């Protein structure tokens, strides 16, 4: 083990490390379903090869006096059959000397559960595709030798803390008036007992949804975000209807900055709306799309990113010991969470080399939450929604999915069983 | 694939009820499929041993307090006070062991701090302060240093923690010496022995594990 090989954690990871709990484990899962059952021995070999390609994830996260840090380890990941909930806890006292990601299989599915402090969905999907690519290469020797499943980036580029690298790009830019929302609506009802989350994997044909979103002249994210907002509104008790609904959407900052990092590099924008009563999905989708486009203005993105990083750069903040910083960051994260109703993360189109497609049926993803988190991803003509819900009440989700099925769209739902 | 006739969506996997409306799903023509997600046993509570310990300790505290203050009416030594004090030590110690069982050096270091405080308090309660602070405490500190010295040469996951613990032990040794110096007290024999052990192990660490100690300090003190 090279003890001198260590990294500081990025500013998003600091929030995840401070606000982890048994329900919201701050982990995410990306999965790939193959067209045939997974062979665990081949998967182990594929993972061993992938580890050499992405050594950035071979770390233990440790507590320093002032900050957490990531320490390189020789610990090798072991492939096991899935027997836990998606997004299990992967950091804490009990996981001290364990890697912060896990590769499991179940039937035809390969799962990669990762602690969000290591990387974001983009990095997670890339690592999963490396594993799947290696798996298929070993399984079908000679057929897929020429495929490339990841970007050509140096080790330094992959390990780069891009928040620091691109800090200061907003100098001289003004954020403009921010529409800060104080009290937003939270989905009503009890939370699931025993810190559970219920996971729903929903499949729909992409072309059907795209047809509708194009007719409404909005993007797919805006259309689905508006549909979700509408379902939340319809499920709201009458007395709460004056409260705004806020949908948070993580933004991949690699689209705005030339970064190849395998670590976290995202930010979130929030779309809010107070219903007046006469909205239709189409008008709501237009409003959603306009707000989203305005929030995705590169200048605003740069300012927002710098605002977070600026706090970390203050010497006063840096000199405060971690045991004081952690509860402060956790309370800030909790306050931030109170300003959103649900989160929708669009991972976009999942691209794999053409040669791999005959062996892959689909992809899915989930992210832990203490409220409701929906991930979106498209592969071929399959739109997959990975919904994690902390609520016992499923009426809002029922309304949301019925909104699609009542329009004649073929909706298929898979779900985990929970104790209610 | 079965269909929920209420929600009008297809339900995959082997679920018995619709996950959206919880109504029972009919077997359908094709019947239930293979499970899509494994059945998960989720609720892992606190260890039963820890619960028994907490119960026994708290029962002893309540019992001794009642006997001490309500049943024995004559003038007597209030034995419930040390019992409460030991309970206040035992419970956090047990919790630390339960939660932090991976890093042995850290457990030993914390146990040492708790043991030293307990010994000092016992000395105060039973009027044996000199024995407690002049003899037992330095011996506990020295034993911890030696244990961590061994651990830092064993190349396991917690070796680096033992380096830091030795450093903290050395700081404790120096603090004691500083205390004796400013109070103008001659250093007690066992504290002198402790100082020798702390200093020699520290020198050995610097010579044999100096680079690792330096890297550990840089990592942990990074601002």
């Amino acid at each position: 083990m090279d003890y001198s090989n260590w990294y500081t954690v990025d500013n998003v990871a600091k929030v995840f490390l401070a606000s982890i709990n048994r329900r919201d484990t701050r982990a995410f899962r990306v999965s790939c379903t193959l067209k045939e059952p997974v062979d665990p021995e081949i998967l182990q070999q594929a993972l061993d090869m992938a580890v050499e390609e992405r050594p950035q994830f071979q770390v233990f996260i440790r507590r320093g006096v002032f900050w957490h840090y990531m320490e390189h380890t020789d610990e090798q990941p072991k492939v096991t059959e899935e027997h836990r909930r998606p997004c299990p806890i992967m950091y804490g006292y009990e996981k001290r000397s364990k890697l912060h990601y896990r590769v499991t299989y179940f039937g035809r599915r390969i799962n990669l559960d990762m602690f969000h402090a290591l990387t974001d969905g983009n990095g997670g999907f890339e690592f999963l595709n490396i594993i799947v690519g290696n798996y298929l290469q070993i399984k079908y020797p000679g057929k897929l030798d020429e495929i490339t499943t990841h970007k050509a980036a140096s080790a330094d580029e992959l390990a780069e803390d891009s928040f620091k690298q691109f800090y200061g790009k907003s100098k001289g830019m003004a954020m403009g008036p921010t529409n800060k929302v104080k009290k937003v609506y939270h989905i009503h009802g009890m939370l699931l007992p025993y810190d559970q989350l219920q996971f729903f994997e929903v499949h729909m044909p992409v072309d059907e949804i795209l047809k509708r979103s194009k007719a409404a002249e909005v993007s797919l994210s805006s259309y689905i975000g508006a549909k979700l907002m509408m379902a939340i509104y319809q499920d709201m008790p009458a007395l709460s209807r004056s409260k705004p609904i806020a949908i948070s959407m993580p933004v991949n900052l690699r689209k705005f900055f030339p970064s190849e990092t395998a670590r976290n590099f995202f930010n979130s924008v929030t779309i809010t709306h107070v219903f007046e009563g006469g909205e239709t999905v189409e008008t709501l989708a237009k409003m959603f799309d306009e707000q989203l486009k305005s929030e995705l203005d590169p200048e605003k993105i740069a300012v927002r990113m710098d605002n977070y990083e600026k706090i970390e750069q203050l010497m006063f903040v840096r000199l405060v010991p971690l045991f004081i910083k952690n509860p402060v960051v956790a309370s800030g994260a909790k306050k931030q969470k109170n300003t959103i109703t649900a989160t929708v993360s669009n991972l976009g189109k999942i691209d794999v080399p053409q040669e791999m497609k005959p062996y892959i049926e689909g992809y899915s993803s989930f992210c832990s939450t203490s409220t409701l988190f929906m991930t979106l991803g498209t592969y071929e003509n399959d739109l997959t929604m990975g919904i994690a819900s902390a609520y016992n009440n499923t009426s809002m989700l029922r309304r949301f999915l019925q909104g699609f099925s009542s329009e004649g769209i073929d909706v298929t739902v898979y779900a985990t069983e929970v104790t209610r | 694939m079965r269909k929920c006739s209420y929600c009008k969506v297809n339900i995959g996997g082997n679920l018995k009820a619709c996950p959206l409306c919880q109504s029972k799903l009919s077997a359908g023509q094709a019947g239930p499929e293979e499970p899509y997600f494994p059945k998960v046993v989720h609720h892992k509570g606190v260890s039963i041993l820890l619960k028994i310990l907490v119960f026994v300790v708290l029962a002893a505290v309540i019992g001794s307090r009642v006997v001490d203050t309500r049943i024995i009416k004559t003038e007597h030594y209030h034995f419930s006070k040390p019992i409460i004090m030991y309970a206040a030590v035992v419970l956090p110690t047990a919790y630390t062991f339960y939660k932090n069982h991976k890093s042995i050096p850290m457990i030993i270091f914390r146990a040492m701090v708790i043991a030293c405080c307990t010994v000092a308090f016992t000395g105060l309660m039973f009027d044996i302060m000199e024995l407690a602070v002049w003899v037992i405490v330095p011996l506990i500190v020295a034993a911890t240093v030696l244990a961590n010295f061994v651990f830092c040469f064993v190349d396991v996951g917690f070796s680096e923690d033992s380096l830091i613990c030795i450093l903290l032990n050395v700081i404790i040794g120096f603090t004691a010496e500083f205390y004796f110096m400013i109070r103008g007290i001659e250093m007690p024999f066992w504290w002198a022995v402790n100082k020798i052990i702390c200093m020699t192990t520290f020198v050995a660490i610097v010579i044999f594990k100096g680079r690792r100690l330096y890297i550990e300090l840089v990592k942990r003190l990074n601002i």
Side-chain angles (χ1 to χ4, degrees):
Chain A
M1 191 195 295
D2 183 5
Y3 295 95
S4 57
N5 204 351
W6 64 282
Y7 322 95
T8 53
V9 297
D10 55 70
N11 68 9
V12 176
K14 281 169 187 142
V15 178
F16 291 141
L17 283 159
S19 56
I20 188 168
N21 60 55
R22 289 174 76 88
R23 191 190 299 274
D24 188 359
T25 54
R26 298 298 196 164
F28 67 86
R29 163 179 287 195
V30 285
S31 305
C32 174
T33 307
L34 303 177
K35 288 192 174 161
E36 54 186 44
V38 174
D39 181 330
E41 281 176 23
I42 296 180
L43 183 58
Q44 181 66 59
Q45 289 174 43
L47 178 59
D48 293 343
M49 285 160 68
V51 161
E52 285 166 25
E53 289 174 74
R54 282 290 179 274
Q56 295 77 23
F57 303 140
Q58 303 307 304
V59 290
F60 290 148
I61 299 178
R62 305 270 198 224
R63 285 172 71 99
V65 176
F66 303 104
W67 299 109
H68 285 94
Y69 60 91
M70 294 181 189
E71 186 179 77
H72 181 77
T73 171
D74 291 336
E75 183 90 5
Q76 287 297 305
K78 291 260 175 338
V79 168
T80 52
E81 191 169 8
E82 182 184 358
H83 65 279
R84 290 185 185 200
R85 68 168 229 192
C87 317
I89 196 152
M90 271 174 295
Y91 173 77
Y93 285 122
E94 295 156 49
K95 317 284 168 198
R96 225 188 105 76
S97 292
K98 286 186 181 160
L99 291 168
H100 305 292
Y101 73 88
R102 192 171 295 150
V103 176
T104 56
Y105 65 94
F106 191 74
R108 293 178 294 135
R109 190 171 64 236
I110 297 171
N111 308 305
L112 170 65
D113 289 295
M114 287 194 111
F115 183 35
H116 222 320
L118 291 189
T119 184
D120 52 18
N122 196 77
F125 260 116
E126 201 180 58
F127 190 43
L128 176 70
N129 273 335
I130 294 172
I131 297 169
V132 173
N134 291 344
Y135 178 88
L136 294 174
Q137 279 175 339
I138 300 168
K139 183 115 199 221
Y140 303 101
K143 285 189 180 175
L144 300 152
D145 289 349
E146 300 301 315
I147 58 165
T148 50
T149 47
H150 59 85
K151 291 172 284 187
S154 68
D156 282 342
E157 283 173 319
L158 291 168
E160 176 189 275
D161 181 352
S162 294
F163 291 107
K164 278 199 175 69
Q165 185 69 23
F166 299 103
Y167 174 66
K169 294 273 176 192
S170 69
K171 265 178 194 162
M173 293 178 193
M175 181 72 171
T178 49
N179 49 342
K180 272 194 177 171
V181 185
K182 280 189 180 161
K183 219 170 189 181
V184 300
Y185 172 68
H186 293 286
I187 297 165
H188 66 99
M190 305 272 283
L191 294 177
L192 285 164
Y194 308 115
D195 299 320
Q196 294 173 98
L197 286 178
Q198 189 166 22
F199 296 91
F200 301 84
E201 191 179 307
V202 182
H203 293 266
M204 293 181 208
V206 179
D207 51 1
E208 290 286 328
I209 309 288
L210 274 178
K211 206 168 29 181
R212 282 160 179 79
S213 68
K214 274 180 187 160
E217 296 170 351
V218 297
S219 66
L220 187 129
S221 308
S222 301
Y223 185 74
I224 289 171
K227 278 265 201 190
L228 180 68
M229 243 184 195
M230 192 59 116
I232 293 172
Y233 174 69
Q234 285 165 350
D235 195 52
M236 263 170 133
L239 285 173
S240 304
R241 291 194 168 181
S242 57
K243 285 184 186 169
I245 294 173
I247 304 284
S248 170
M249 298 193 87
V251 179
N252 180 6
L253 293 175
R254 292 171 189 84
K255 289 181 182 167
F256 299 87
F257 301 95
S259 169
E260 297 287 347
T261 185
R263 295 169 67 182
N264 279 308
F265 196 40
F266 73 96
N267 209 321
S268 290
V269 298
T270 308
I271 313 297
T272 54
H273 183 68
V274 184
F275 278 80
E276 286 158 2
E279 290 89 343
T280 61
V281 172
E282 286 72 25
T283 57
L284 193 61
K286 278 220 168 71
M287 176 286 302
F288 199 106
D289 204 52
E290 277 164 24
Q291 257 196 66
L292 184 61
K293 276 179 186 155
S294 139
E295 291 293 326
L296 292 181
D297 175 56
E299 285 191 7
K300 273 190 182 177
I301 293 278
V303 173
R304 199 177 292 113
M305 191 183 90
D306 282 2
N307 281 348
Y308 283 108
E309 190 66 27
K310 204 166 18 185
I311 302 167
E312 195 192 308
Q313 300 299 326
L314 297 171
M315 189 46 89
F316 164 72
V317 174
R318 289 159 73 178
L319 287 172
V320 175
L322 189 61
F323 71 90
I324 298 173
K325 251 184 250 168
N326 255 358
V328 174
V329 175
S331 86
K334 201 174 174 187
K335 222 171 164 185
Q336 181 74 23
K337 232 183 245 175
N338 287 338
T339 63
I340 56 162
T341 311
T343 309
V344 177
S345 173
N346 189 358
L347 295 156
K349 194 177 167 194
I350 296 148
D351 260 332
V352 292
Q354 198 61 37
E355 298 90 327
M356 280 168 68
K357 286 184 179 172
Y359 305 97
I360 295 171
E361 190 156 300
Y363 284 87
S364 62
S365 54
F366 294 111
C367 189
S368 73
T369 179
S370 54
T371 55
L372 188 109
F373 199 114
M374 181 194 291
T375 60
L376 303 172
T378 60
Y379 173 73
E380 300 287 86
N381 191 33
D382 183 28
L383 167 71
T384 310
M385 295 178 189
I387 305 170
S389 169
Y391 299 103
N392 202 345
N393 182 357
T394 51
S395 63
M396 189 280 291
L397 280 178
R398 188 185 172 201
R399 274 178 211 279
F400 171 65
L401 296 175
Q402 267 181 339
F404 293 101
S405 63
S406 63
E407 289 175 16
I409 298 171
D410 197 28
V411 179
T412 304
V413 180
Y414 298 90
T416 55
E417 283 185 89
V418 288
T419 310
R420 289 186 193 278
Chain B
M1 187 80 68
R2 291 167 301 163
K3 193 160 189 150
C4 174
S5 44
Y6 300 98
C7 304
K8 311 286 181 214
V9 296
N10 302 316
I11 308 293
N14 65 340
L15 297 176
K16 291 187 183 95
C18 169
L20 300 171
C21 66
Q22 284 81 48
S23 51
K24 206 174 169 188
L25 291 170
S26 55
Q29 283 184 326
E33 301 167 24
E34 289 289 300
Y36 193 75
F37 290 105
K39 198 159 176 71
V40 176
V41 183
H42 24 258
H43 25 103
K44 187 191 159 202
V46 179
S47 145
I48 188 74
L49 280 175
L50 189 66
K51 283 183 180 177
I52 292 170
L53 180 74
V54 171
F55 171 72
V56 169
V57 170
L58 291 182
V61 167
I62 294 165
S64 64
R65 195 72 192 144
V66 171
V67 171
D68 197 13
T69 58
R70 294 281 180 269
I71 296 176
I72 305 174
K73 302 282 186 193
T74 54
E75 200 170 296
H76 65 285
Y77 173 71
H78 289 290
F79 56 88
S80 64
K81 284 182 184 171
I83 291 178
I84 292 170
M85 195 274 298
Y86 289 126
V89 170
V90 166
L91 294 181
T93 311
Y95 189 70
T96 306
F97 274 75
Y98 170 69
K99 273 294 220 187
N100 200 5
H101 54 90
K102 287 281 178 191
S103 177
I104 297 170
M106 281 297 177
I107 291 175
I108 290 178
F109 185 77
R110 285 177 196 190
M112 179 209 75
V113 174
I114 292 169
C116 288
C117 295
T118 314
V119 166
F121 191 81
T122 310
L124 197 69
M125 298 282 296
F126 296 97
D127 207 17
I128 46 166
M129 195 61 174
E130 212 159 279
L131 172 73
V133 178
W134 275 192
V135 181
I136 301 175
V137 170
L139 284 177
I140 293 173
V141 175
T144 315
V145 173
L146 290 174
N148 279 326
F149 184 71
V150 174
F151 286 132
C152 72
F153 282 94
V154 183
D155 200 18
V156 283
F158 49 73
S159 303
E160 58 272 26
D161 281 347
S162 48
L163 291 171
I164 298 299
C165 288
I166 288 178
L167 207 62
L168 292 172
N169 275 118
V170 171
I171 292 169
I172 290 174
F174 272 111
T175 311
E177 189 178 358
F178 186 65
Y179 172 78
F180 297 131
M181 205 171 72
I182 58 166
R183 292 291 302 269
I185 306 169
E186 198 181 324
M187 187 180 263
F189 174 74
W190 289 107
W191 274 108
V193 171
N194 174 58
K195 192 185 165 188
I196 294 166
I197 292 171
C198 282
M199 291 307 293
T200 46
T201 45
F202 181 67
V203 170
I205 290 295
V206 170
I207 293 168
F208 296 107
K209 297 274 175 184
R211 187 170 168 268
R212 249 175 96 176
L213 179 66
Y214 171 74
I215 292 166
E216 272 316 303
L217 286 174
V218 171
K219 280 195 280 198
R220 289 176 194 234
L221 296 174
N222 164 51
I223 56 165

